[in-house]
Amino acid sequence: QVQLVESGGGLVQAGGSLRLSCVASGNIHNIKTMGWYRQAPGQQRELVADITSGDSTNYADSVKGRFTISRDNAKNTVYLQMNSLKPEDTAVYYCSLTTISWNYEYDYWGQGTQVTVSS
């Protein structure tokens, strides 16, 4: 059983910053990636950023230069520092974890945290 618990969402004015955190717990082995997705009302869930076990990062074009993903392997925690927030960043943000075992990948999700950016 793997659990992901997000925190750090909230309401912020445009141009402001928020830092999301996600702590993974449970039977965790062989982490491939940890990341953040978001889903705005009426839209599909989209990748925001992810980071591999080797610390390679990947960002959506819409957040490059504004968001930074990082992780603390010792704490099984992934962070998303969000700067220069825009109203279009408003969404529910979900933490994700992918593990790999015997060439199979397993995906886990957090419950989501709301980020609202006012104009």
Side-chain angles (χ1 to χ4, degrees):
Q1 188 81 7
V2 174
Q3 288 188 322
L4 302 176
V5 179
E6 301 112 331
S7 61
L11 173 64
V12 64
Q13 288 189 332
S17 299
L18 285 174
R19 188 192 194 210
L20 305 183
S21 300
C22 172
V23 180
S25 62
N27 189 19
I28 303 171
H29 300 285
N30 299 324
I31 294 176
K32 180 182 179 182
T33 59
M34 296 188 75
W36 292 93
Y37 287 71
R38 67 186 181 187
Q39 187 168 20
Q43 297 189 18
Q44 291 188 335
R45 191 174 296 189
E46 63 175 0
L47 173 69
V48 177
D50 61 21
I51 183 167
T52 70
S53 57
D55 286 339
S56 294
T57 57
N58 177 44
Y59 294 92
D61 288 342
S62 59
V63 307
K64 284 180 180 177
R66 300 187 298 123
F67 292 9
T68 303
I69 190 169
S70 60
R71 61 189 287 177
D72 184 333
N73 291 328
K75 297 180 179 180
N76 283 334
T77 300
V78 63
Y79 305 97
L80 185 68
Q81 178 66 43
M82 304 186 294
N83 298 329
S84 301
L85 282 160
K86 304 175 181 180
E88 51 263 43
D89 294 318
T90 296
V92 178
Y93 284 70
Y94 296 92
C95 177
S96 73
L97 169 69
T98 299
T99 62
I100 187 165
S101 177
W102 297 100
N103 291 326
Y104 287 94
E105 294 186 1
Y106 300 87
D107 296 323
Y108 303 92
W109 296 92
Q111 80 285 355
T113 185
Q114 177 70 46
V115 171
T116 303
V117 184
S118 63
S119 57

